[in-house]
Amino acid sequence: MQSSNKGKNYQTILILIAIVYFTFILLIPVVTLIFEAFHKGFQPFLDSLQSVEFQEALKLTLIITAITLPLNTIFGLSAAWIIARNQFRGRALLLSIIDVPFSISPVVAGLMLVLLYGKNSWLGGILASVGIKIIFALPGMVLATMFVTLPFVAREIIPVLEEIGPQEEEAARILGASDWQIFWRVTIPNIRWGLLYGLLLTNARAMGEFGAVSVVSGSILGQTATLPIFVEQTYKNYQTEAAFSAAAILALLGLLTLIGKEFLERRVDN
Amino acid sequence: MGILVENVYKSFGSFQALNNINLEIKDGTIVALLGPSGSGKSTLLRAIAGLDNPDTGKIIINGRDSTHIDVKKRNIGFVFQHYALFKHLTIRQNIAFGLEIRKIAPNIIKEKVNELLELIQLSGLGNRYPSQLSGGQRQRVALARALAVQPGVLLLDEPFGALDTKVRKELRTWLRDLHDRVHVTSVFVTHDQEEAMEVADEIVVMSQGKIEQIGTPADIYDHPATPFVMSFIGEVNVLPSNSPWFKNYPDKLTSDVFIRPHEFDIQTELNGSNTKAQIKRITHLGWEVQIELILPDNLTVFAHVSKEKFTRLNLKTEQFVFIKPLSAQVFNEDETAKKFVGYDFSI
């Protein structure tokens, strides 16, 4: 009796800690953001969304995400498959290389791109001479976003692939399926949750990335500012209204992704 | 026709998994690859399937050199130890998989799947998912899936390895019956000698990447070709050649002498030339009783007697009895086997 009571006390304490933690880290900030965005009513919110700078930033963010997501999905799937299904020299090295974006600060990542593709570098010089501009332009921002989101899909799928093992794929092959058929009919259904989660993470990070993109973009409002950069710039310029409205939209986009995932999960389950 | 394996070698790094394998599996038979783990039996099966390619050598399936033919074109049925059913597909969809890949018309697929569901006695469960079936049922589905494409040969990798003893026994008999009806050339891997004996027409005993012996179950048990086969199939006592029982043997014995536990004569009274031995332990094995005996020079042998004889002799632990081998077997240096039956084991 004594020990079970004691256990219950611990349980209550732990739950309380979790609630406090959750409230201060997650709940209050989000509520504050929404409050700040809407506390003068709906109209000011809508007005700030009318500005050209905001709309350009939104467009840019969506374009970057739309390019990054499919490319990194294809890369992540291929890398995961190669790593999980083959034993080869340099496998561990490849795994570590995929993790590099996790361990390097995004700002440093952006800086590396500037050093490589900037006007004064050899590669940037060559590209500039044929009229291709990478830094302070969309290509650089896409590259930076791809860099920071590179590991998400692969990292989610590798453990799933390793856990299910190659046997179902072998069974399909013996039954006459081609690689393509095996991939679509056996592998994808088996890894769908891992893949979905990887997509979600990539999507959220691609829309929200600030550090790396801000280094390579030049942060010119209305031209090379993505939504997070727009938020930062307007906030710094004391345009609090615009900053909070854009931030709310950014949060909303994240929320939409979550809802989308939830919806897909339910549909697949049925 | 059937399967022909010629001079097949396969190594993984420095490990020689298959060492000059030559094997003929006759059309329509069911053959067991039997051996301890690491003997190369699964590697050989995977080589026949095309899942692992041999380093050198040839694999001919139903008259066609298949060594370099891709797995998906070999037209093979394969059953995995852990079923490898497609988890996201129903039983019906699993069985239909190979047929759909072959672009068979849907109404024919449906008919075929119904037929196979009946064959595996799971007609009512077609719309369930693999996770809703028991192990034995799953393995039958795996078999139906493999048979659906009318494979030229059926390969089974430890097909009953993941099942409990009772289900295993049922499925064994069922597989044997099925084979009598379907007649597809079948090869299965097992480390269970009883399973091999019960199901197979012929047994291929393997050890350390080599074939030790090929023969019918009776052949392998009664005329083992090597000491390994003798010890691996059935139980056996291994006695040194200088044991007094063998002193009258005309030729010089160079190797150990092998005696099956049931090939001892046990008496409670001295009868001519028997050896005195003490009973150390008695173990009941069902219809037989195993008796552990200590011989004068501190050798231990195991003898099996029928329950009936055990009761009649009224044997007890620590009791002294008189025993004599009825037959024994030696393997000469050139690995030819010799059985001496009816020889005078007097000492």
Side-chain angles (χ1 to χ4, degrees), chain A residues 210-225:
Chain A
F210 175 76
V213 175
S214 101
V215 174
V216 297
S217 71
S219 306
I220 305 158
L221 279 186
Q223 286 180 39
T224 60

Side-chain angles (χ1 to χ4, degrees), chain B residues 9-235:
Chain B
Y9 288 83
K10 169 89 188 172
S11 56
F12 297 107
S14 62
F15 176 69
Q16 193 72 40
L18 295 175
N19 194 349
N20 194 17
I21 300 291
N22 284 283
L23 174 65
E24 190 192 343
I25 292 163
K26 290 183 204 79
D27 196 32
T29 56
I30 181 162
V31 169
L33 301 179
L34 175 66
S37 51
S39 60
K41 53 193 192 311
S42 282
T43 311
L44 177 56
L45 195 80
R46 290 175 65 86
I48 296 172
L51 290 170
D52 287 329
N53 284 324
D55 298 336
T56 56
K58 263 191 198 174
I59 286 160
I60 296 157
I61 298 170
N62 291 330
R64 183 171 72 148
D65 184 348
S66 303
T67 321
H68 303 291
I69 292 180
D70 192 83
V71 192
K72 62 174 180 280
K73 293 191 180 132
R74 287 198 189 194
N75 198 30
I76 272 171
F78 201 100
V79 174
F80 292 84
Q81 179 177 1
H82 298 287
Y83 330 121
L85 292 177
F86 306 125
K87 290 187 271 297
H88 60 289
L89 300 180
T90 63
I91 302 311
R92 280 188 158 278
Q93 290 167 330
N94 263 281
I95 298 174
F97 189 89
L99 299 168
E100 278 170 7
I101 295 286
R102 284 166 177 72
K103 301 209 176 354
I104 309 281
N107 55 329
I108 298 176
I109 292 182
K110 199 174 168 196
E111 213 171 283
K112 182 97 196 167
V113 171
N114 283 338
E115 220 172 88
L116 283 159
L117 277 172
E118 201 154 309
L119 185 75
I120 60 169
Q121 297 148 8
L122 294 177
S123 290
L125 306 181
N127 293 323
R128 299 227 180 145
Y129 285 89
S131 59
Q132 297 170 302
L133 300 190
S134 72
Q137 290 173 327
R138 282 185 221 182
Q139 199 56 298
R140 284 188 299 195
V141 174
L143 215 80
R145 182 179 68 179
L147 289 173
V149 297
Q150 287 176 309
V153 295
L154 179 64
L155 308 175
L156 308 101
D157 191 3
E158 301 253 9
F160 314 125
L163 305 169
D164 62 56
T165 326
K166 190 164 169 284
V167 180
R168 208 176 172 134
K169 268 210 132 86
E170 282 167 17
L171 217 54
R172 256 189 232 165
T173 324
W174 181 80
L175 177 66
R176 184 65 245 193
D177 289 347
L178 183 79
H179 186 262
D180 290 342
R181 271 186 287 166
V182 183
H183 280 306
V184 56
T185 311
S186 307
V187 185
F188 73 100
V189 159
T190 179
H191 59 261
D192 181 343
Q193 40 151 319
E194 206 183 305
E195 192 168 293
M197 296 263 180
E198 194 177 317
V199 181
D201 295 321
E202 266 198 335
I203 298 176
V204 178
V205 186
M206 295 186 67
S207 159
Q208 297 181 342
K210 285 188 186 157
I211 293 180
E212 293 273 334
Q213 189 175 5
I214 305 172
T216 62
D219 242 5
I220 300 256
Y221 188 82
D222 295 333
H223 308 289
T226 64
F228 174 82
V229 177
M230 179 106 207
S231 338
F232 191 69
I233 313 283
E235 284 169 65

